[in-house]
Amino acid sequence: MTKCPVCGSESQNNEEICKNCGSKLPKKKTEKTVVEQKDTKFCPKCGAEISKTVNACPKCGAKSQSNVTQQEQKSPFIAGILSLIIFGIGQFYNGQPRKGALLFIGGYFISIILIYFFGYLTYIIIALFSAYDAYTTAEAINRGETPEDTFNLKEKLDGL
């Protein structure tokens, strides 16, 4: 039983308003609200409801955030600037050494050959692509995703 602080009448424990005077009743401090916990969670990538025990979403294949080890946050700005200055360095910063090495070696090799034919336009295009990839990868890492250390050129070009 709960006693109304205004009129003094008694009310049931589950009532929030006094039947006699209409004032708000105080909640008992000893009562604890029971929250029903589900055995499901939502996929961070596609939003599908999945079991808490699965490691990857059966719909899109994204790894579950509760099972992904917490990675340190990466600055997309720093990753992008590093790759603008030197091809692939932003990828190394993001923890993608294979992708970084490919951009570093391949990017400069292609740039040197193609500068002869097209001028510095090739160098600028590769630098911008490297910076874009490093920036978007750092954002993905900050969202808890684990990006692959390989290129999917079609996926990157579709995102532009």
Side-chain angles (χ1 to χ4, degrees):
M1 292 291 227
T2 304
K3 194 171 189 177
C4 177
V6 177
C7 70
S9 66
E10 291 187 0
S11 300
Q12 297 295 325
N13 287 338
N14 58 354
E15 293 177 348
E16 295 180 12
I17 301 206
C18 177
K19 290 181 182 178
N20 190 35
C21 69
S23 63
K24 193 170 185 174
L25 295 172
K27 291 184 179 181
K28 276 193 167 182
K29 294 179 181 177
T30 59
E31 288 183 26
K32 292 185 179 180
T33 306
V34 177
V35 178
E36 184 180 321
Q37 292 186 354
K38 288 186 167 184
D39 290 334
T40 60
K41 60 185 172 185
F42 294 96
C43 172
K45 190 172 184 181
C46 72
E49 191 170 1
I50 57 175
S51 171
K52 282 186 175 180
T53 59
V54 298
N55 292 328
C57 176
K59 189 172 182 181
C60 70
K63 290 185 179 178
S64 173
Q65 279 193 313
S66 62
N67 296 324
V68 175
T69 57
Q70 184 66 19
Q71 298 176 355
E72 76 175 74
Q73 297 286 303
K74 301 290 183 180
S75 169
F77 178 75
I78 291 174
I81 293 297
L82 287 172
S83 276
L84 264 179
I85 296 169
I86 301 173
F87 300 155
I89 298 300
Q91 284 73 14
F92 279 104
Y93 168 77
N94 287 334
Q96 299 178 304
R98 283 185 287 173
K99 192 186 287 187
L102 180 66
L103 274 170
F104 183 79
I105 296 167
Y108 281 107
F109 181 72
I110 291 170
S111 292
I112 290 169
I113 291 172
L114 294 179
I115 283 175
Y116 178 74
F117 298 107
F118 301 106
Y120 286 96
L121 181 62
T122 310
Y123 181 87
I124 293 169
I125 291 171
I126 294 172
L128 290 175
F129 176 78
S130 178
Y132 172 77
D133 177 69
Y135 184 92
T136 56
T137 300
E139 285 183 329
I141 290 170
N142 292 343
R143 285 192 304 269
E145 297 172 17
T146 306
E148 294 186 28
D149 190 16
T150 58
F151 274 115
N152 185 344
L153 189 58
K154 183 180 183 318
E155 183 181 298
K156 288 294 181 187
L157 292 177
D158 287 344
L160 291 175

